[in-house]
Amino acid sequence: MTNDRPVSGVSSLLPVVAAAMVDLEGRVLLQQRPEGKSLAGLWEFPGGKVEPGETPEAALIRELEEELGIAVPHACLAPAAFASAQLGDRHLVLLLYITRKWTGVPRALEATALRWVRPSEMHALPMPPADRPLIGLLDALI
């Protein structure tokens, strides 16, 4: 018999979206979290929180414009994977999309730095717990 009751201790879910932006060489863009934010210094996929009333795709398009100064058409976002991790008293659910097309040159508008890396190189970088499980999947997809 299975127990279908929710796990106690989780006050709320935190939906977050992120993009694996893939260039022509099969590299993925990562950004470094700035000082003063939680998990500062770690490398992550660009993206952010889904605001109330937003679809995940609309949130990701907004976040990529705010963080990188680029435009990504809705049709160019392909759902790829998700990850789940405890984050304090909240539970983060990370929805990862892959995109290979955008307009503009990514700039570190909110991050400390940007870096293009192959998925296999991500294992050596310090990354948030929710991002780590996605590395192997990206390596297989790209």
Side-chain angles (χ1 to χ4, degrees), residues 65-77:
E65 200 278 320
E66 290 173 2
E67 292 182 357
L68 302 174
I70 62 169
V72 179
H74 183 277
C76 295
L77 293 173

Side-chain angles (χ1 to χ4, degrees), residues 2-140:
T2 62
N3 183 352
D4 293 327
R5 290 181 300 175
V7 177
S8 62
V10 176
S11 64
S12 63
L13 289 177
L14 176 61
V16 174
V17 289
M21 297 174 55
V22 183
D23 72 4
L24 295 175
E25 297 176 36
R27 299 175 304 171
V28 176
L29 183 69
L30 295 180
Q31 64 182 9
Q32 190 174 35
R33 292 185 63 81
E35 291 300 320
K37 285 197 170 187
S38 66
L39 308 174
L42 299 186
W43 292 91
E44 67 179 358
F45 302 107
K49 296 175 188 166
V50 178
E51 299 294 337
E54 269 186 321
T55 65
E57 296 82 4
L60 186 53
I61 290 167
R62 175 185 52 75
E63 288 284 350
L64 293 175
E65 200 278 320
E66 290 173 2
E67 292 182 357
L68 302 174
I70 62 169
V72 179
H74 183 277
C76 295
L77 293 173
F82 76 93
S84 176
Q86 192 66 36
L87 191 64
D89 67 342
R90 301 181 86 183
H91 196 88
L92 182 139
V93 175
L94 173 65
L95 306 174
L96 183 69
Y97 292 77
I98 291 180
T99 186
R100 295 176 186 270
K101 294 183 182 182
W102 55 86
T103 303
V105 177
R107 300 179 321 260
L109 299 177
E110 294 186 8
T112 302
L114 300 178
R115 188 174 190 178
W116 290 97
V117 297
R118 298 195 185 288
S120 61
E121 298 168 331
M122 291 180 193
H123 294 288
L125 296 174
M127 295 181 76
D131 292 38
R132 283 216 160 272
L134 302 170
I135 296 171
L137 188 79
L138 272 181
D139 203 16

